[in-house]
């Protein structure tokens, strides 16, 4: 439902100061849609030390609302949160 906390997974990747990935997934569909997250997004997260599959497991196990992972490296920034 729109506006209800804990219903969406958000993934944002900013590389060299430019937003390269901006994904919002329904938590109900994370298992299914997780397969469709672009490899580019997974690779950029992996480059920053974030394992996407581990994030999905945390969410399936009941992640709280808020930031799950965040990495800032110069102008590169990765943010994964549940909203």
């Amino acid at each position: 439902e729109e506006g209800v906390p804990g219903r969406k997974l958000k993934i944002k990747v900013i590389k060299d100061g430019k937003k390269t990935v901006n994904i919002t997934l329904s938590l109900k569909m994370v298992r299914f849609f997780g397969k469709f997250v672009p490899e580019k997004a997974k690779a950029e997260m992996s480059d920053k030390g974030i394992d996407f599959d581990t994030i999905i497991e945390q969410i399936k196990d009941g992640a709280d609302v808020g930031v799950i992972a965040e990495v800032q490296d110069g102008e590169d920034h990765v943010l994964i949160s549940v909203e």
Side-chain angles (χ1 to χ4, degrees):
E1 264 180 68
E2 192 69 30
V4 177
R7 301 285 187 199
K8 296 180 213 160
L9 174 70
K10 291 197 164 238
I11 302 170
K12 294 181 183 180
V13 178
I14 297 171
K15 190 163 182 77
D16 299 323
K18 298 177 183 172
K19 191 179 291 184
T20 58
V21 176
N22 188 16
I23 300 171
T24 302
L25 299 172
S26 163
L27 286 183
K28 291 180 181 178
M29 301 301 289
V30 159
R31 284 186 193 168
F32 178 73
F33 283 118
K35 300 175 200 171
F36 298 103
V37 171
E39 288 303 316
K40 176 182 175 183
K42 289 180 183 180
E44 289 183 21
M45 286 185 275
S46 180
D47 288 347
K48 300 297 176 195
I50 298 172
D51 182 341
F52 183 76
D53 294 328
T54 299
I55 298 292
I56 295 300
E57 287 304 315
Q58 288 177 344
I59 291 165
K60 287 192 288 191
D61 290 342
D64 292 331
V65 172
V67 174
I68 296 173
E70 183 172 20
V71 177
Q72 181 78 43
D73 181 16
E75 289 188 37
D76 297 347
H77 184 215
V78 177
L79 176 68
I80 301 174
S81 62
V82 174
E83 298 181 356

Coordinates of all heavy atoms in Angstrom, one line a residue:
E1 N 0.8 -1.2 0.0 CA 0.0 0.0 0.0 C 0.9 1.2 0.0 O 1.9 1.3 0.7 CB -0.9 0.0 1.3 CG -2.2 -0.5 1.1 CD -3.0 -0.4 2.4 OE1 -3.3 0.7 2.8 OE2 -3.3 -1.5 2.9
E2 N 0.5 2.2 -0.7 CA 1.2 3.5 -0.8 C 1.1 4.2 0.5 O 0.1 4.3 1.2 CB 0.6 4.4 -1.9 CG 1.4 5.6 -2.3 CD 2.7 5.2 -3.0 OE1 2.7 4.2 -3.7 OE2 3.7 6.0 -2.8
G3 N 2.3 4.7 1.0 CA 2.3 5.5 2.2 C 2.3 4.6 3.5 O 2.4 5.2 4.6
V4 N 2.3 3.3 3.4 CA 2.4 2.5 4.6 C 3.8 2.1 4.8 O 4.4 1.5 3.9 CB 1.5 1.2 4.5 CG1 1.6 0.3 5.7 CG2 0.0 1.6 4.3
P5 N 4.4 2.3 6.0 CA 5.8 2.0 6.2 C 6.1 0.5 6.1 O 5.3 -0.3 6.4 CB 6.1 2.5 7.6 CG 5.0 3.3 8.0 CD 3.8 3.0 7.1
G6 N 7.3 0.2 5.6 CA 7.7 -1.2 5.5 C 7.1 -1.9 4.3 O 7.1 -3.2 4.3
R7 N 6.7 -1.2 3.3 CA 6.1 -1.9 2.1 C 7.0 -1.9 0.9 O 6.7 -2.5 -0.1 CB 4.8 -1.2 1.8 CG 3.8 -1.2 2.9 CD 3.2 -2.6 3.0 NE 2.1 -2.5 4.0 CZ 1.6 -3.6 4.5 NH1 2.1 -4.7 4.3 NH2 0.6 -3.4 5.4
K8 N 8.1 -1.1 0.9 CA 8.9 -1.0 -0.3 C 10.4 -1.1 0.0 O 10.9 -0.6 1.0 CB 8.7 0.4 -0.9 CG 7.3 0.7 -1.4 CD 7.2 2.1 -2.0 CE 5.8 2.6 -1.7 NZ 5.8 4.1 -1.8
L9 N 11.1 -1.7 -1.0 CA 12.5 -1.7 -0.9 C 13.0 -0.7 -1.9 O 12.6 -0.7 -3.1 CB 13.1 -3.1 -1.3 CG 14.6 -3.2 -1.5 CD1 15.3 -3.1 -0.1 CD2 15.0 -4.5 -2.2
K10 N 13.9 0.2 -1.5 CA 14.4 1.2 -2.4 C 15.9 1.0 -2.5 O 16.6 0.8 -1.6 CB 14.1 2.6 -1.9 CG 12.7 3.0 -1.9 CD 12.5 4.5 -1.8 CE 11.1 4.9 -2.2 NZ 11.1 5.8 -3.3
I11 N 16.4 1.1 -3.8 CA 17.8 1.0 -4.1 C 18.2 2.2 -4.9 O 17.6 2.4 -6.0 CB 18.1 -0.3 -4.9 CG1 17.7 -1.5 -4.1 CG2 19.6 -0.4 -5.2 CD1 17.7 -2.8 -4.9
K12 N 19.2 2.9 -4.4 CA 19.7 4.1 -5.2 C 21.2 4.0 -5.3 O 21.8 3.7 -4.3 CB 19.3 5.4 -4.5 CG 17.8 5.7 -4.5 CD 17.5 7.0 -3.8 CE 16.0 7.2 -3.7 NZ 15.7 8.4 -3.1
V13 N 21.7 4.2 -6.5 CA 23.1 4.2 -6.7 C 23.5 5.5 -7.5 O 22.9 5.8 -8.5 CB 23.6 3.0 -7.6 CG1 25.1 3.0 -7.8 CG2 23.2 1.6 -6.9
I14 N 24.5 6.2 -6.9 CA 25.0 7.4 -7.5 C 26.4 7.1 -7.8 O 27.2 6.8 -6.9 CB 24.8 8.6 -6.6 CG1 23.3 8.8 -6.4 CG2 25.4 9.9 -7.2 CD1 22.9 9.9 -5.3
K15 N 26.8 7.3 -9.0 CA 28.2 7.0 -9.4 C 28.8 8.3 -10.1 O 28.1 8.8 -11.0 CB 28.3 5.8 -10.4 CG 29.7 5.3 -10.6 CD 29.6 4.0 -11.2 CE 31.0 3.4 -11.5 NZ 31.7 2.9 -10.3
D16 N 29.9 8.7 -9.6 CA 30.5 10.0 -10.1 C 29.5 11.1 -10.1 O 29.5 12.0 -11.0 CB 31.0 9.8 -11.6 CG 32.1 8.7 -11.7 OD1 32.9 8.6 -10.7 OD2 32.1 7.9 -12.6
G17 N 28.7 11.2 -9.0 CA 27.8 12.3 -8.8 C 26.5 12.2 -9.6 O 25.7 13.1 -9.6
K18 N 26.3 11.1 -10.4 CA 25.1 11.0 -11.2 C 24.3 9.8 -10.8 O 24.9 8.7 -10.6 CB 25.5 10.9 -12.7 CG 26.2 12.1 -13.2 CD 26.6 11.9 -14.7 CE 27.4 13.1 -15.2 NZ 27.9 12.9 -16.5
K19 N 23.0 9.9 -10.7 CA 22.2 8.8 -10.3 C 22.2 7.8 -11.4 O 21.7 8.1 -12.5 CB 20.8 9.2 -10.0 CG 19.9 8.2 -9.3 CD 18.5 8.6 -9.0 CE 18.6 9.6 -7.9 NZ 17.2 10.1 -7.5
T20 N 22.7 6.6 -11.2 CA 22.7 5.6 -12.3 C 21.7 4.5 -12.1 O 21.3 3.8 -13.0 CB 24.1 4.9 -12.3 OG1 24.4 4.3 -11.1 CG2 25.2 5.9 -12.7
V21 N 21.2 4.3 -10.8 CA 20.2 3.3 -10.5 C 19.2 3.9 -9.5 O 19.6 4.5 -8.5 CB 20.8 2.0 -9.9 CG1 19.7 1.0 -9.5 CG2 21.8 1.4 -10.9
N22 N 17.9 3.7 -9.8 CA 16.9 4.2 -8.9 C 15.7 3.1 -9.0 O 15.0 3.2 -9.9 CB 16.4 5.6 -9.2 CG 15.5 6.1 -8.1 OD1 15.4 5.6 -7.0 ND2 14.8 7.2 -8.5
I23 N 15.7 2.2 -8.0 CA 14.7 1.1 -8.1 C 13.9 1.1 -6.9 O 14.4 1.3 -5.8 CB 15.5 -0.3 -8.2 CG1 16.3 -0.3 -9.5 CG2 14.5 -1.4 -8.2 CD1 17.2 -1.5 -9.5
T24 N 12.5 0.9 -7.0 CA 11.6 0.7 -5.9 C 10.9 -0.6 -6.2 O 10.3 -0.7 -7.2 CB 10.6 1.9 -5.8 OG1 11.4 3.1 -5.7 CG2 9.7 1.7 -4.6
L25 N 10.9 -1.5 -5.2 CA 10.2 -2.8 -5.3 C 9.3 -2.9 -4.2 O 9.6 -2.6 -3.0 CB 11.2 -3.9 -5.3 CG 12.3 -4.0 -6.3 CD1 13.3 -5.1 -6.0 CD2 11.7 -4.2 -7.7
S26 N 8.1 -3.5 -4.4 CA 7.2 -3.9 -3.4 C 7.8 -5.0 -2.6 O 8.4 -6.0 -3.2 CB 5.9 -4.4 -4.0 OG 5.1 -5.1 -3.1
L27 N 7.8 -5.0 -1.3 CA 8.3 -6.0 -0.4 C 7.7 -7.4 -0.7 O 8.3 -8.4 -0.6 CB 8.3 -5.7 1.0 CG 9.2 -4.6 1.5 CD1 9.1 -4.4 3.0 CD2 10.7 -5.0 1.1
K28 N 6.4 -7.3 -1.0 CA 5.7 -8.6 -1.3 C 6.3 -9.3 -2.6 O 6.2 -10.5 -2.7 CB 4.2 -8.3 -1.6 CG 3.4 -7.9 -0.4 CD 2.0 -7.6 -0.7 CE 1.2 -7.2 0.5 NZ -0.2 -6.9 0.2
M29 N 6.9 -8.5 -3.5 CA 7.4 -9.0 -4.7 C 8.9 -9.1 -4.8 O 9.5 -9.4 -5.8 CB 6.9 -8.2 -5.9 CG 5.3 -8.1 -6.0 SD 4.6 -9.7 -6.2 CE 5.1 -10.1 -7.8
V30 N 9.6 -8.8 -3.6 CA 11.0 -8.7 -3.7 C 11.6 -10.0 -4.1 O 12.6 -10.0 -5.0 CB 11.6 -8.4 -2.3 CG1 13.0 -8.8 -2.1 CG2 11.5 -6.9 -2.1
R31 N 11.1 -11.2 -3.7 CA 11.7 -12.5 -4.1 C 11.6 -12.6 -5.6 O 12.6 -13.0 -6.3 CB 11.0 -13.6 -3.5 CG 11.3 -13.9 -2.1 CD 10.6 -15.1 -1.6 NE 10.7 -15.2 -0.2 CZ 10.0 -16.0 0.6 NH1 9.2 -16.9 0.0 NH2 10.1 -16.0 1.9
F32 N 10.5 -12.3 -6.2 CA 10.3 -12.4 -7.6 C 11.1 -11.3 -8.4 O 11.8 -11.7 -9.3 CB 8.8 -12.3 -7.9 CG 8.5 -12.3 -9.4 CD1 8.5 -13.5 -10.1 CD2 8.1 -11.2 -10.1 CE1 8.2 -13.6 -11.4 CE2 7.8 -11.3 -11.4 CZ 7.9 -12.4 -12.1
F33 N 10.9 -10.1 -8.0 CA 11.5 -9.0 -8.8 C 13.0 -8.9 -8.5 O 13.7 -8.3 -9.3 CB 10.8 -7.7 -8.5 CG 9.5 -7.5 -9.2 CD1 8.3 -7.3 -8.5 CD2 9.4 -7.6 -10.6 CE1 7.1 -7.2 -9.1 CE2 8.2 -7.4 -11.2 CZ 7.1 -7.2 -10.5
G34 N 13.5 -9.5 -7.4 CA 14.9 -9.5 -7.1 C 15.7 -10.1 -8.3 O 16.8 -9.7 -8.6
K35 N 15.1 -11.0 -9.0 CA 15.7 -11.7 -10.1 C 15.9 -10.7 -11.3 O 16.7 -10.9 -12.2 CB 14.9 -12.9 -10.6 CG 14.7 -13.9 -9.6 CD 13.8 -15.0 -10.1 CE 13.2 -15.8 -9.0 NZ 12.1 -16.7 -9.5
F36 N 15.1 -9.6 -11.3 CA 15.1 -8.7 -12.4 C 15.9 -7.4 -12.1 O 15.9 -6.5 -13.0 CB 13.7 -8.3 -12.8 CG 12.9 -9.6 -13.3 CD1 12.0 -10.2 -12.4 CD2 13.1 -10.1 -14.5 CE1 11.3 -11.3 -12.8 CE2 12.5 -11.2 -14.9 CZ 11.5 -11.8 -14.1
V37 N 16.5 -7.3 -10.9 CA 17.3 -6.1 -10.7 C 18.5 -6.2 -11.7 O 19.2 -7.2 -11.8 CB 17.8 -6.1 -9.2 CG1 18.9 -5.1 -9.0 CG2 16.7 -6.0 -8.3
P38 N 18.7 -5.1 -12.4 CA 19.8 -5.1 -13.4 C 21.1 -5.6 -12.8 O 21.5 -5.2 -11.7 CB 19.8 -3.7 -13.9 CG 18.5 -3.1 -13.5 CD 18.1 -3.8 -12.2
E39 N 21.9 -6.3 -13.6 CA 23.2 -6.8 -13.2 C 24.1 -5.6 -13.0 O 25.0 -5.7 -12.1 CB 23.8 -7.7 -14.3 CG 23.1 -9.1 -14.3 CD 23.2 -9.8 -13.0 OE1 24.2 -9.8 -12.3 OE2 22.2 -10.4 -12.6
K40 N 23.9 -4.5 -13.7 CA 24.7 -3.3 -13.5 C 24.5 -2.8 -12.0 O 25.5 -2.4 -11.4 CB 24.2 -2.2 -14.5 CG 24.9 -0.9 -14.3 CD 24.3 0.2 -15.3 CE 24.9 1.5 -15.0 NZ 24.3 2.5 -15.9
A41 N 23.3 -2.8 -11.6 CA 23.0 -2.4 -10.2 C 23.7 -3.3 -9.2 O 24.3 -2.9 -8.2 CB 21.5 -2.3 -9.9
K42 N 23.5 -4.6 -9.4 CA 24.1 -5.6 -8.5 C 25.7 -5.4 -8.5 O 26.3 -5.5 -7.5 CB 23.8 -7.0 -8.9 CG 22.3 -7.3 -8.6 CD 22.0 -8.8 -9.0 CE 20.5 -9.1 -8.8 NZ 20.2 -10.5 -9.2
A43 N 26.3 -5.2 -9.7 CA 27.7 -5.1 -9.8 C 28.2 -3.8 -9.1 O 29.2 -3.8 -8.4 CB 28.1 -5.0 -11.3
E44 N 27.4 -2.7 -9.2 CA 27.8 -1.5 -8.6 C 27.7 -1.6 -7.0 O 28.5 -1.1 -6.3 CB 27.0 -0.3 -9.1 CG 27.4 0.1 -10.5 CD 26.7 1.3 -11.1 OE1 26.1 2.1 -10.3 OE2 26.6 1.4 -12.3
M45 N 26.7 -2.3 -6.6 CA 26.6 -2.6 -5.1 C 27.7 -3.5 -4.7 O 28.3 -3.2 -3.6 CB 25.2 -3.2 -4.8 CG 24.0 -2.3 -4.9 SD 22.5 -3.0 -4.4 CE 22.0 -3.8 -5.9
S46 N 28.0 -4.5 -5.4 CA 29.1 -5.4 -5.1 C 30.4 -4.7 -5.0 O 31.2 -5.0 -4.1 CB 29.1 -6.6 -6.1 OG 30.2 -7.5 -5.8
D47 N 30.7 -3.8 -6.0 CA 31.9 -3.0 -6.0 C 32.1 -2.2 -4.7 O 33.2 -1.9 -4.3 CB 31.9 -2.0 -7.1 CG 32.1 -2.7 -8.5 OD1 32.5 -3.9 -8.5 OD2 31.9 -2.0 -9.5
K48 N 30.9 -1.9 -4.0 CA 31.0 -1.1 -2.8 C 30.8 -2.0 -1.5 O 30.6 -1.6 -0.4 CB 29.8 -0.1 -2.8 CG 29.9 0.9 -3.9 CD 31.2 1.7 -3.8 CE 31.3 2.7 -4.9 NZ 32.7 3.2 -5.0
G49 N 30.9 -3.4 -1.8 CA 30.9 -4.3 -0.6 C 29.5 -4.7 -0.2 O 29.3 -5.2 0.9
I50 N 28.5 -4.5 -1.0 CA 27.1 -4.9 -0.6 C 26.7 -6.1 -1.4 O 26.7 -6.1 -2.7 CB 26.1 -3.7 -0.9 CG1 26.5 -2.5 0.0 CG2 24.7 -4.1 -0.7 CD1 25.8 -1.2 -0.4
D51 N 26.3 -7.1 -0.7 CA 25.8 -8.4 -1.4 C 24.3 -8.3 -1.5 O 23.6 -8.4 -0.5 CB 26.3 -9.6 -0.6 CG 25.9 -10.9 -1.2 OD1 25.0 -10.9 -2.0 OD2 26.5 -11.9 -0.8
F52 N 23.8 -8.2 -2.7 CA 22.4 -8.0 -2.9 C 21.6 -9.2 -2.4 O 20.5 -9.1 -1.8 CB 22.1 -7.8 -4.4 CG 20.6 -7.5 -4.7 CD1 20.0 -6.3 -4.4 CD2 19.9 -8.5 -5.3 CE1 18.7 -6.1 -4.7 CE2 18.5 -8.3 -5.5 CZ 17.9 -7.1 -5.2
D53 N 22.1 -10.4 -2.7 CA 21.4 -11.6 -2.2 C 21.2 -11.7 -0.7 O 20.2 -12.1 -0.2 CB 22.1 -12.9 -2.7 CG 22.0 -13.0 -4.3 OD1 21.0 -12.5 -4.8 OD2 22.9 -13.5 -4.9
T54 N 22.3 -11.2 0.0 CA 22.2 -11.1 1.5 C 21.1 -10.1 1.9 O 20.4 -10.4 2.9 CB 23.5 -10.7 2.1 OG1 24.5 -11.7 1.7 CG2 23.5 -10.6 3.6
I55 N 21.0 -9.0 1.2 CA 20.0 -8.0 1.5 C 18.6 -8.6 1.3 O 17.7 -8.4 2.2 CB 20.2 -6.8 0.6 CG1 21.5 -6.1 0.8 CG2 19.0 -5.8 0.7 CD1 21.7 -5.4 2.1
I56 N 18.4 -9.3 0.3 CA 17.1 -10.0 0.0 C 16.8 -10.9 1.1 O 15.6 -11.0 1.6 CB 17.1 -10.7 -1.4 CG1 17.3 -9.7 -2.5 CG2 15.8 -11.5 -1.5 CD1 16.2 -8.7 -2.6
E57 N 17.8 -11.7 1.6 CA 17.5 -12.6 2.7 C 17.1 -11.9 4.0 O 16.2 -12.3 4.7 CB 18.8 -13.5 3.0 CG 19.0 -14.6 1.9 CD 17.8 -15.5 1.7 OE1 17.2 -16.0 2.7 OE2 17.4 -15.7 0.6
Q58 N 17.8 -10.8 4.3 CA 17.5 -10.0 5.4 C 16.0 -9.5 5.4 O 15.3 -9.5 6.4 CB 18.4 -8.7 5.6 CG 19.8 -9.1 6.0 CD 20.7 -7.9 6.0 OE1 20.3 -6.8 5.5 NE2 21.8 -8.0 6.7
I59 N 15.6 -9.1 4.2 CA 14.2 -8.6 4.0 C 13.2 -9.7 4.2 O 12.2 -9.5 4.9 CB 14.1 -7.9 2.6 CG1 14.9 -6.6 2.6 CG2 12.6 -7.6 2.3 CD1 15.2 -6.1 1.2
K60 N 13.5 -10.8 3.6 CA 12.6 -12.0 3.8 C 12.5 -12.4 5.2 O 11.4 -12.8 5.7 CB 13.1 -13.2 2.9 CG 12.9 -13.0 1.4 CD 13.1 -14.2 0.7 CE 14.5 -14.6 0.6 NZ 14.8 -15.7 -0.4
D61 N 13.6 -12.2 6.0 CA 13.6 -12.5 7.4 C 12.9 -11.4 8.3 O 12.8 -11.5 9.5 CB 15.0 -12.7 7.9 CG 15.6 -14.0 7.4 OD1 14.8 -14.9 6.9 OD2 16.8 -14.1 7.4
G62 N 12.4 -10.3 7.6 CA 11.7 -9.3 8.4 C 12.5 -8.1 8.7 O 12.6 -7.7 9.9
A63 N 13.1 -7.4 7.8 CA 13.9 -6.2 8.0 C 13.0 -5.1 8.5 O 11.9 -4.9 8.1 CB 14.6 -5.8 6.7
D64 N 13.6 -4.3 9.4 CA 12.8 -3.1 9.9 C 12.8 -2.0 8.9 O 13.7 -1.9 8.0 CB 13.5 -2.6 11.2 CG 13.4 -3.5 12.4 OD1 12.4 -4.3 12.4 OD2 14.3 -3.5 13.2
V65 N 11.9 -1.0 9.1 CA 11.9 0.2 8.2 C 13.1 1.0 8.5 O 13.6 1.1 9.6 CB 10.6 1.0 8.5 CG1 10.7 2.3 7.8 CG2 9.4 0.2 8.2
G66 N 13.8 1.4 7.4 CA 15.0 2.3 7.6 C 16.0 1.8 6.6 O 15.8 1.0 5.7
V67 N 17.2 2.3 6.8 CA 18.4 2.0 6.0 C 18.9 0.6 6.3 O 19.2 0.3 7.5 CB 19.5 3.1 6.1 CG1 20.7 2.7 5.4 CG2 19.0 4.4 5.7
I68 N 19.1 -0.2 5.3 CA 19.6 -1.5 5.4 C 21.1 -1.5 5.2 O 21.9 -2.1 5.9 CB 19.0 -2.6 4.5 CG1 17.5 -2.7 4.8 CG2 19.7 -3.9 4.5 CD1 16.7 -3.6 3.9
A69 N 21.5 -0.8 4.1 CA 22.9 -0.6 3.8 C 23.2 0.7 3.2 O 22.3 1.2 2.4 CB 23.4 -1.7 2.9
E70 N 24.3 1.3 3.5 CA 24.6 2.6 2.9 C 26.2 2.7 2.8 O 26.8 2.4 3.8 CB 24.1 3.8 3.7 CG 24.4 5.1 3.0 CD 23.6 6.3 3.7 OE1 23.2 6.1 4.9 OE2 23.5 7.3 3.1
V71 N 26.7 3.0 1.6 CA 28.1 3.2 1.4 C 28.3 4.5 0.7 O 27.7 4.8 -0.4 CB 28.7 2.0 0.6 CG1 30.2 2.2 0.3 CG2 28.4 0.7 1.3
Q72 N 29.2 5.3 1.2 CA 29.6 6.6 0.5 C 31.1 6.5 0.3 O 31.9 6.2 1.2 CB 29.3 7.8 1.5 CG 29.7 9.1 0.9 CD 28.6 9.6 -0.1 OE1 27.5 9.5 0.1 NE2 29.1 10.2 -1.2
D73 N 31.5 6.7 -1.0 CA 32.9 6.6 -1.4 C 33.1 7.8 -2.4 O 32.9 7.6 -3.6 CB 33.2 5.3 -2.0 CG 34.7 5.1 -2.4 OD1 35.5 5.9 -2.0 OD2 35.0 4.2 -3.1
G74 N 33.6 8.9 -1.9 CA 33.8 10.1 -2.8 C 32.4 10.5 -3.3 O 31.5 10.7 -2.6
E75 N 32.3 10.5 -4.7 CA 31.1 10.9 -5.3 C 30.2 9.7 -5.6 O 29.1 9.8 -6.1 CB 31.3 11.6 -6.6 CG 31.9 13.0 -6.5 CD 32.0 13.7 -7.8 OE1 31.1 13.5 -8.6 OE2 32.9 14.4 -8.0
D76 N 30.6 8.5 -5.2 CA 29.8 7.2 -5.3 C 29.0 7.0 -4.0 O 29.6 7.1 -2.9 CB 30.7 6.0 -5.6 CG 31.5 6.2 -6.9 OD1 31.1 7.1 -7.7 OD2 32.4 5.4 -7.1
H77 N 27.8 6.6 -4.2 CA 26.9 6.4 -3.0 C 25.9 5.3 -3.3 O 25.3 5.4 -4.4 CB 26.2 7.8 -2.7 CG 25.3 7.7 -1.5 ND1 24.1 8.4 -1.4 CD2 25.5 7.1 -0.3 CE1 23.6 8.2 -0.2 NE2 24.4 7.4 0.4
V78 N 25.8 4.4 -2.4 CA 24.8 3.3 -2.6 C 23.9 3.4 -1.3 O 24.4 3.4 -0.2 CB 25.4 1.9 -2.7 CG1 24.4 0.8 -2.8 CG2 26.3 1.9 -3.9
L79 N 22.6 3.4 -1.5 CA 21.6 3.4 -0.4 C 20.6 2.3 -0.7 O 19.9 2.3 -1.7 CB 21.0 4.7 -0.3 CG 19.9 4.9 0.8 CD1 20.5 4.8 2.2 CD2 19.2 6.2 0.7
I80 N 20.4 1.4 0.3 CA 19.3 0.4 0.2 C 18.5 0.6 1.5 O 19.0 0.6 2.6 CB 19.9 -1.0 0.2 CG1 20.8 -1.1 -1.1 CG2 18.8 -2.0 0.1 CD1 21.5 -2.4 -1.2
S81 N 17.2 0.8 1.3 CA 16.3 1.0 2.5 C 15.0 0.4 2.3 O 14.5 0.1 1.2 CB 16.2 2.5 2.7 OG 15.5 3.2 1.6
V82 N 14.3 0.2 3.5 CA 12.9 -0.3 3.5 C 12.1 0.9 3.9 O 12.4 1.6 5.0 CB 12.7 -1.4 4.4 CG1 11.3 -1.8 4.6 CG2 13.5 -2.6 4.0
E83 N 11.1 1.3 3.2 CA 10.2 2.4 3.5 C 8.7 2.0 3.6 O 8.4 1.0 3.0 CB 10.4 3.5 2.4 CG 11.8 4.1 2.4 CD 11.9 5.2 1.4 OE1 11.0 5.5 0.7 OE2 13.0 5.7 1.4

